[in-house]
Amino acid sequence: MARDGAVYVCQACGAAHSKWAGQCNACGAWNTLVEEVQSRPPGALAPTRAAKQRGLAFETLESEVPAPPRIATGVEEFDRVCGGGVVPGSAILLGGDPGVGKSTLLLQVCGWAAQRGVRCAYISGEEAVEQVRGRAGRMGLSAAPVKLAAETAVRDIVDGLKREAFDLVVIDSIQTLWSDMHDSGPGSVTQVRAAAGELVRLAKKRGIAVVLVGHVTKDGQIAGPRVVEHMVDAVLSFEGERGYPFRILRAAKNRFGATDEIGVFEMGDSGLREVKNPSALFLNDGGERAAGAAVFAGIEGSRPVLVEFQALVAPSAYGTPRRAVVGWDSGRLAMVLAVLEARCGLGFGDKDVYLNVAGGLRISEPAADLAAAAALASSALDAPLPQDCVVFGEVSLSGEVRSVSRMESRLKEAAKLGFGRALGPAGAGDVAPFIITGVSRLADAVRRVGDQVWT
Ligand code: TYD
Ligand code: MG
């Protein structure tokens, strides 16, 4: 028998159950139900409005008060991903693996913003004040007028933030907070939901931009994902491949801007450096481009970015050949391999295939199909692509090469970095001084790679 007030809450999706079970019947996750005692039954948490007269007051879409301007923090890559600065009264969730640099990024955001006159507070629930100070010292931000505190009790944080006026508040992290309204431990769904709810309410009420840090669980979700993600206005994720200094900031949800923007940073000894021109960074510059390499002219958000696709096709020693891919979708790789086999006569059945996007960037644009296919064909046929050639185009299952958006921006960026040729969809147009090899079928592109015919 469940005790009075006890509920079993799924730590993955937040669904509440009256009995414990091995599997959550809402999201299907195993072993995620944890007993959480609620001090008040759910639903009774909101104060009753019986005293007030009930009803609904309708408003117009037109606003009488102009929206307050966005707060530019000065960290331009961060501001752009937010949609041009943070919005007063909004809540942002920043997720990422432990150690990726979330605290570093937000301390830098606070430090830079404070130096521009933005009233900032940085509240750490994970590190002691001295530790944060030490980091600020290394980043050259000791003099920035950021108000710093180490605190985990939501009630104290909310009271403290009510006493002073702030524009931007960072809470690092949401999983360390606890609210005395609930008995369950910090980091549990109930606590995370309660703490986030209170801070979001505070943000709206007082016009503060609140940034909450959230740790990501093993399977890539922010703990208590559904319960926090729907409460906040924007969900950003900070990513980086192990072993690379590059860090990418992405928006997964943004009520105030586009979600396809990325911010690029480089982690160094004195914090994060903004990378204004990512193409130069992701390209494996210098040296001959070997067989198996193809430079993709891509678009990330509003910016064109050049990245190198590297493929290796090698005889397999095992019955089941290996397919390994870094930085691209493995399903997409399987599709491109199938099209190369079925439509272009290349056989991969007894070959191991490795595909890597250089520099640690993750590419999700369909326009990268042709670049991946060209890299694979180049490796399989041991024929390099021209040194100064970029590739872009979407490949369909029938083996057609389809045109993609913003071809001119792609080519312009490539021209800036010294490229003079492009392999792309037929009808890609003329962008002087480019020599464009237009192909309408993937088989044609493969033939050109094999025969080294580019005009
Ligand atoms: P941190 O911001 O603490 O990560 P998170 O908050 O996401 O857990 O960053 C930790 C890593 O960043 C750590 O491995 C050290 C590295 N780092 C640098 O390389 N240079 C720096 O200037 C700083 C502050 C951190
Ligand atoms: Mg941290």
Side-chain angles (χ1 to χ4, degrees), residues 229-413:
E229 285 185 5
H230 83 258
M231 282 183 196
V232 295
D233 300 298
V235 178
L236 310 182
S237 67
F238 203 38
E239 306 162 0
E241 288 285 340
R242 216 162 270 284
Y244 290 105
F246 317 124
R247 300 285 181 269
I248 316 275
L249 184 68
R250 278 178 202 283
K253 156 181 170 180
N254 192 350
R255 286 187 185 146
F256 310 111
T259 52
D260 54 359
E261 280 297 348
I262 62 165
V264 184
F265 297 88
E266 191 176 355
M267 181 66 94
D269 289 337
S270 52
L272 292 157
R273 192 176 66 78
E274 293 180 89
V275 178
K276 300 273 162 67
N277 181 0
S279 294
L281 191 80
F282 295 125
L283 276 190
N284 207 349
D285 50 12
E288 286 280 296
R289 222 169 289 292
V295 175
F296 168 51
I299 301 274
E300 287 286 339
S302 60
R303 279 189 304 187
V305 175
L306 302 193
V307 274
E308 189 177 83
F309 272 72
Q310 301 164 342
L312 177 64
V313 178
S316 177
Y318 305 102
T320 315
R322 282 198 59 146
R323 266 82 180 109
V325 54
V326 177
W328 204 46
D329 182 45
S330 56
R332 205 86 197 168
L333 171 65
M335 185 208 94
V336 166
L337 285 176
V339 175
L340 284 169
E341 292 218 14
R343 314 281 178 200
C344 312
L346 287 179
F348 297 97
D350 53 353
K351 306 263 174 49
D352 286 343
V353 174
Y354 302 91
L355 187 74
N356 183 18
V357 175
L361 193 66
R362 247 203 96 77
I363 300 292
S364 53
E365 251 194 302
D369 293 351
L370 188 60
L376 290 164
S378 160
S379 177
L381 302 169
D382 195 23
L385 271 79
Q387 190 70 18
D388 61 343
C389 180
V390 294
V391 187
F392 56 88
E394 185 178 342
V395 173
S396 74
L397 285 179
S398 58
E400 272 173 80
V401 176
R402 299 233 176 101
S403 67
V404 296
S405 62
R406 302 183 53 194
M407 291 201 255
E408 217 176 299
S409 339
R410 294 172 199 267
L411 291 173
K412 275 196 189 137
E413 174 76 2

